[in-house]
Structures are given as C-alpha cells and as structure tokens.
Amino acid sequence: MLHLDIPEVWVRFLLAIVGLALAFMAAVFSTVSRESGNFVATLALASVALILAVLVGLTTVPYLARRVAGARIRDAFDYDVTKIGIAYVVVILVIGIAALNTGNNLLYIVVAAMLAAILVSGFASALVLRDLELDVRLPEHVFAGRTTPGRIILRNPRRWLPSFSVSVVPVKKDAAAKHWKWVPATFGVPASRPADKQWIKLPDRKLRRVESKNSPPNIFEGLAYFLWVAAKTEHKADLELRFDRRGRYQQEGFGLATRFPFAFLTKTRRVPLVREIVVYPRVEPADEFFEVLPMITGEFESFTRGRGDDLYLIREYMPEDSARHVDWKATAKSGSLKVREFSREDERKLRIVFDNPASGAVSDVVYENAVALAASLSWHFAGQNAEVSFVSQGYSGGPDIYRFLAHLAVTQPRVSDSLIPQLQLSDDYNIVLTTQPRGGIPTTLWSCSYFVFLGTNQ
C-alpha cells in the first residue's frame, strides 16, 4: 500500500521553483512581444511576471529563509501581509509596468523609493521587537465557567531605544505539526452526483494536509496591546481568562507583533514561553446538586452525641452533665435547666467516592454532569468543618481537594472494573457516585453511604 509523506518545506520549495520559472518565461515573452510591437501582450505578460515574482517573494521566500537559517533565526518571525500592504504592492506593480513600457527614469526612481520603504519598514519593525522580554503569569487554581485573572508583563531592557505599537498575541500552530499525506479516497463518475448515485466507483488516493499530533488547546487567544514601552521599563496588562471546559490547556509560545512603522506587514516574533494550566470542573451548583445536597446533609449530620464545637441539640439537664454546658438563655425561656450537646469532631469524616463510569455507559453530557457533580460536592464539603477524603480509579492524591479536582479535570471514561466491590469499609460516611445497579452494591455499604446513581432513575 502506497504511503507517502511530503514535508511542507518541499511542497513550498517546488511551488516556488514553478512560480519563478513561469515568471521568467512570462518576462522573456514580454520582451519578445515588445520587440514585435504588440503592446497588449507586452502589458499582460509583464504583469503576470511581476505578480508571480511578488507572490513567491511574499509567501515562500520568508518561510524558506526561516527553515534554512540558524536555530536563533529559524521560527523567529512570522510575516502577514496587511490590506494596506496589498494595496501598496498593487500600486508598485502599476508604476513598475508603466516604467517598463515607457522607459521613464522618473518612474524607475519612484518604484525604487517605494521598494526601499518596504525594506525600511522591515528593518524598523525588527528593531522594535528586538530584545523585548515577555512574562505571562497565570493563577494556580482555575475553574471552568469562571472568569479568572492573568497578567502579561513586557520588559524593554535596552538603554535608549523604546518600542512602539507592540501586541502580545498567541502564535500560530506550528506548521511542522501538519504535513502532506496521501490518504484513501474514491474516484466516482459522474463526480457531480452523490456517492450513492454514481455509476462508477474506483479506489483512489488524494494528497491532503493532515495533523501529525494532537496538542492541547491554547490558554491565550486574545491580544494585549502596548502603545509605548520606554527603555529600561516594564509594562503590565491584566487579562480576563475564561475556560468553558475542564481539561489541560497549554501554550507553547507567545508572539510579539507589530505593524510599525507603515503597516505593510504584521511582523510577529516568536517567544518560546511554555505555560500550562489545569482547569478544574465546574463547581457552580446545578439542579442535580440542589436535589441531592439536602438529603446528603441530613444523613451526614446524624452524628453520635459527643463533645465538639458544632451544636447538635439542646436537651434537659442530667445529673452527670457539666454545669459549663448549661444553656442559660434556653433555661430562662423554658423554666427548667437545659444543656447543649455537641457533635463529636472525630465523627465528621466524609469520603467521596467517584466510581468512574465505563466507556459508553453514559452519554458525554451525562458524564460531564457527573464529573461536575463530584467536583461540586467535594468543593462544598471541603469547606465545611469535616475531614474529607477522596477515592476514584487512578487517584492517589490523598485528601487534598485541589489534587482531586485536578484528577477530575483530566479524567476520562474508564476501561477498568468498578471499584465498588473492592471498596473497604471505614469509619467515614461515604458519598458514592456510580453507575452500578443497586443489586451490585454490597449490603454493608448501605448503612454508612449515600448513593448517587449516575444517568439512571434508580
């Protein structure tokens, strides 16, 4: 079976060769047409030659130059032509064609001056971006669905030279992550008809550009603009980041972009600054959370009587009670001695068990709601006066709430067995989120657990 991977650099190189060859041929035939006195053919061929040369120069030459340069220069800059730059090039082409057909030296001087302006613009923009230092600071804990602050710091360490009109932008996905590849296809006749109505179908192959790796989504998709960065100073820009989904986000680099001074090109300098952030699941109370929380709280608060800090009840005074536990306000109202009882702190132990559903057991929406419910319950009870621990497949982070949330942030449907049959009894009260049927629950767990059956009406 034929399998051919063509790197993008070779595709661009071959296209550049073909483009320059066509431009050269058009220029030669333009000269021939001029000698024969055919003005229309001369104008058309000269225009084609200039357009092809400009296209190759703008789209291929910078890319190939970055590929063959040293490690410091390679991938250092990206170039994007602006609308102003396109209009400027069109004006140069028109004046250049007029200069070729009239032989007017003044027009040649004008074309040379306009081309020199492009060179000056490139040099000035590179000078503006040179030596700038970038730092991106992100919060430690981020929850999906919540706006979180971030900060971008841009430093100019140069002694005298300031920078103008600099934007911090996300860099484009690495072109090396894509490559040309022959993929299976079908050749059908007639091609205009749907596949099920074609007369002839033959196996075929097409050359397409495909992704070579799956990378996490970017952290930063906007831009931060700095109008002026003076020498030996730093400027800060505050960001508002929002992530709609849980998971791992990664930024492999940022870009410093400028259109200074003439806005012909947007020049972007790549800064290899790696940042990674884990977005926890949503902990915003949902309808399901409000349904189960009162029932869980009611059972969890049924503690054995003891002495602690949380009031359990007020009852009649007994001879063995200490006088310091007498509630004098309740005594005055009732006319008989009343004492306070407190829940024992060593009874306030809670274990949250997320029995990760098997792949295909529930839909994607139900699975995401289950993860969000586990995160919301964990976050709620971790803020109470209780000792909370966590259990799930593949989790070994102990009672640290943030480690458990980080585990839930990247968890996916399991391929292993349920952990309910192997769940060991303890003194903790259990909140169990599972897809196991009621018949698969050990009877010993019912007396000390509250079960949330995911994706069912059990």
Side-chain angles (χ1 to χ4, degrees), residues 331-395:
T331 298
K333 289 181 178 180
S334 63
S336 60
L337 283 176
K338 301 289 184 179
V339 295
R340 296 179 178 181
E341 280 193 358
F342 299 91
S343 59
R344 286 171 46 186
E345 291 184 355
D346 58 356
E347 292 290 331
R348 295 184 61 84
K349 293 182 179 180
L350 179 67
R351 180 169 61 175
I352 296 179
V353 181
F354 180 66
D355 185 25
N356 196 9
S359 179
V362 294
S363 65
D364 292 341
V365 174
V366 172
Y367 184 83
E368 291 300 324
N369 291 337
V371 173
L373 179 60
S376 299
L377 291 173
S378 302
W379 183 254
H380 172 78
F381 286 105
Q384 306 297 316
N385 186 22
E387 181 181 338
V388 186
S389 59
F390 311 98
V391 178
S392 185
Q393 288 92 337
Y395 175 70

Side-chain angles (χ1 to χ4, degrees), residues 255-320:
L256 298 177
T258 184
R259 293 186 176 186
F260 182 82
F262 303 131
F264 297 150
L265 296 172
T266 299
K267 181 176 288 187
T268 304
R269 173 189 158 207
R270 296 190 179 188
V271 180
L273 186 66
V274 178
R275 290 291 183 269
E276 184 176 275
I277 194 170
V278 175
V279 178
Y280 303 144
R282 295 175 182 266
V283 293
E284 303 294 339
D287 293 340
E288 190 175 6
F289 176 81
F290 286 116
E291 291 176 4
V292 302
L293 182 61
M295 294 179 286
I296 293 174
T297 304
E299 295 191 16
F300 181 46
E301 292 297 335
S302 299
F303 297 119
T304 304
R305 294 187 304 171
R307 295 177 181 177
D309 294 328
D310 292 339
L311 180 65
Y312 182 73
L313 58 81
I314 297 176
R315 60 169 177 80
E316 295 290 337
Y317 175 80
M318 302 292 291
E320 64 271 14

Side-chain angles (χ1 to χ4, degrees), residues 41-330:
T42 302
L43 179 62
L45 292 171
S47 301
V48 170
L50 284 173
I51 292 173
L52 289 174
V54 170
L55 288 177
V56 172
L58 293 178
T59 62
T60 306
V61 172
Y63 175 83
L64 295 178
R66 291 196 304 271
R67 296 286 302 188
V68 301
R72 181 179 175 125
I73 299 177
R74 185 177 62 248
D75 296 334
F77 289 99
D78 290 327
Y79 303 89
D80 294 301
V81 184
T82 64
K83 293 181 179 179
I84 297 175
I86 294 174
Y88 189 77
V89 170
V90 170
V91 173
I92 293 177
L93 289 175
V94 172
I95 298 176
I97 293 171
L100 288 174
N101 288 279
T102 62
N104 191 322
N105 290 333
L106 180 59
L107 293 180
Y108 282 113
I109 294 174
V110 172
V111 171
M114 296 180 72
L115 293 175
I118 296 178
L119 295 177
V120 171
S121 175
F123 176 78
S125 58
L127 198 61
V128 164
L129 299 178
R130 190 178 55 129
D131 296 332
L132 292 181
E133 298 175 357
L134 180 67
D135 187 17
V136 178
R137 297 177 183 177
L138 301 171
E140 183 178 2
H141 304 298
V142 181
F143 293 87
R146 289 186 178 181
T147 301
T148 185
R151 174 166 290 183
I152 290 179
I153 301 175
L154 187 62
R155 301 185 185 92
N156 184 359
R158 295 173 296 202
R159 295 187 60 184
W160 308 108
L161 187 64
S163 292
F164 308 92
S165 186
V166 179
S167 299
V168 179
V169 298
V171 296
K172 298 177 180 178
K173 289 292 185 181
D174 190 1
K178 297 182 179 180
H179 62 280
W180 294 93
K181 182 179 179 180
W182 290 102
V183 296
T186 302
F187 176 75
V189 178
S192 58
R193 289 193 174 186
D196 56 344
K197 297 183 179 181
Q198 291 176 336
W199 302 336
I200 301 175
K201 294 183 181 179
L202 298 175
D204 194 7
R205 302 187 72 82
K206 291 184 178 180
L207 186 64
R208 291 182 179 175
R209 196 179 185 190
V210 297
E211 296 278 352
S212 60
K213 63 178 181 180
N214 294 323
S215 57
N218 284 340
I219 298 173
F220 176 63
E221 293 292 351
L223 65 86
Y225 181 72
F226 298 86
L227 178 63
W228 163 274
V229 184
K232 300 189 75 66
T233 62
E234 71 175 27
H235 290 249
K236 302 175 182 178
D238 293 327
L239 305 174
E240 286 190 356
L241 303 174
R242 182 182 175 89
F243 305 93
D244 294 329
R245 297 181 61 86
R246 65 183 177 92
R248 190 182 306 275
Y249 292 74
Q250 186 179 45
Q251 197 92 23
E252 297 182 354
F254 295 81
L256 298 177
T258 184
R259 293 186 176 186
F260 182 82
F262 303 131
F264 297 150
L265 296 172
T266 299
K267 181 176 288 187
T268 304
R269 173 189 158 207
R270 296 190 179 188
V271 180
L273 186 66
V274 178
R275 290 291 183 269
E276 184 176 275
I277 194 170
V278 175
V279 178
Y280 303 144
R282 295 175 182 266
V283 293
E284 303 294 339
D287 293 340
E288 190 175 6
F289 176 81
F290 286 116
E291 291 176 4
V292 302
L293 182 61
M295 294 179 286
I296 293 174
T297 304
E299 295 191 16
F300 181 46
E301 292 297 335
S302 299
F303 297 119
T304 304
R305 294 187 304 171
R307 295 177 181 177
D309 294 328
D310 292 339
L311 180 65
Y312 182 73
L313 58 81
I314 297 176
R315 60 169 177 80
E316 295 290 337
Y317 175 80
M318 302 292 291
E320 64 271 14
D321 291 329
S322 173
R324 64 190 180 91
H325 292 150
V326 174
D327 190 318
W328 297 108
K329 185 181 292 186

